[in-house]
Amino acid sequence: DASYLFPLSENDKLGISTIRCFGKDNKPNLKDVMQYAGFFVADSVDGKVFIKHSPRAEHELEFYLRVSDEKTHPALMPLMDIIQRQVLDEGVETTRQYTVFPFITIDKKADYSETLDELITEISISNEDWTEHILKIGIQLTSFLAWMHDKHNAIHMDIKPKNVVRYIKRKRHLIKIIDFEGVKYGLKDVNGKRIIVNVPEE
């Protein structure tokens, strides 16, 4: 019963009514969602939204607050909300945090999203020449990382194909970057070309 996780009465802002988990088998499994990091798509008053279990949601929120006073980069996935829920984890009550983002479909006609991870699989079995599209995606990704570096002295720390959502608009392949829980901030070196950050040992 997904409504147990996000009851309407506690989420009037989003108006979430239904929720669907994307697990390994693409089947809703609330038990797995409660135990592991969950990814959901939900219906809201603003259309479909993407919900992610974020153990370090406050760190992700910090990044969005740092960039909120300026025109953000077009490749930045907008943050809509952060939800906190009291849940039972093996009989122990704990607080779970979830970040909420707009659900971006691959194109206007589709009802699903796609990351670069899926694109890599498509390219591997395709007979098309993807060179131009790959270069344009790479330029957008480089531009975004340079924006983080130059404007905010920040390093993403977890750039990978699964953290890059792609979509097609007016026949252009565009991207949105997600997952800023691991962002590190630092200071520029004397030449202003490198960011020096302290990464604590775990």
Side-chain angles (χ1 to χ4, degrees):
D1 181 6
S3 63
Y4 163 76
L5 191 60
F6 299 101
L8 276 172
S9 60
E10 296 188 16
N11 291 282
D12 293 332
K13 181 178 177 182
L14 286 173
I16 293 172
S17 58
T18 60
I19 202 163
R20 183 158 56 101
C21 168
F22 281 95
K24 290 182 179 179
D25 55 1
N26 288 331
K27 294 179 181 178
N29 189 328
L30 191 57
K31 183 179 178 182
D32 289 343
V33 169
M34 300 293 284
Q35 188 171 358
Y36 305 107
F39 296 85
F40 316 83
V41 171
D43 293 320
S44 80
V45 292
D46 296 318
K48 289 193 181 299
V49 292
F50 173 73
I51 301 176
K52 181 186 72 164
H53 174 215
S54 303
R56 294 184 293 170
E58 65 281 350
H59 198 181
E60 194 149 27
L61 178 60
E62 179 188 354
F63 174 75
Y64 279 95
L65 290 175
R66 281 176 178 245
V67 304
S68 63
D69 60 347
E70 63 172 82
K71 183 179 179 181
T72 57
H73 195 281
L76 176 66
M77 176 71 84
L79 175 66
M80 296 176 68
D81 200 3
I82 290 180
I83 297 172
Q84 292 188 336
R85 290 284 294 137
Q86 294 296 119
V87 298
L88 289 177
D89 186 358
E90 297 183 357
V92 179
E93 190 172 276
T94 184
T95 300
R96 291 286 175 104
Q97 298 184 109
Y98 301 84
T99 43
V100 184
F101 306 92
F103 184 66
I104 296 177
T105 57
I106 185 67
D107 59 41
K108 284 186 176 182
K109 296 179 181 178
D111 62 355
Y112 62 93
S113 66
E114 186 171 293
T115 66
L116 289 191
D117 198 45
E118 284 98 11
L119 177 60
I120 290 169
T121 302
E122 287 181 29
I123 292 173
S124 67
I125 60 175
S126 173
N127 294 322
E128 297 179 40
D129 182 2
W130 282 85
T131 304
E132 184 178 348
H133 295 309
I134 292 171
L135 285 173
K136 289 181 178 179
I137 288 173
I139 290 170
Q140 293 173 70
L141 182 55
T142 303
S143 170
F144 179 79
L145 295 177
W147 170 77
M148 286 187 66
H149 179 285
D150 298 340
K151 297 282 188 181
H152 302 285
N153 294 347
I155 301 175
H156 188 284
M157 298 296 288
D158 196 21
I159 284 293
K160 57 188 177 185
K162 287 185 178 180
N163 284 341
V164 181
V165 176
R166 80 175 186 107
Y167 61 103
I168 301 170
K169 186 175 182 180
R170 299 189 187 96
K171 298 184 179 180
R172 294 179 60 211
H173 290 253
L174 305 173
I175 61 172
K176 294 286 185 186
I177 314 297
I178 62 173
D179 198 350
F180 298 94
E181 290 186 49
V183 170
K184 299 292 183 186
Y185 307 96
L187 299 172
K188 287 190 172 70
D189 63 12
V190 291
N191 297 316
K193 294 181 179 179
R194 294 183 180 181
I195 299 294
I196 301 172
V197 298
N198 292 321
V199 181
E201 295 183 9
E202 295 184 359

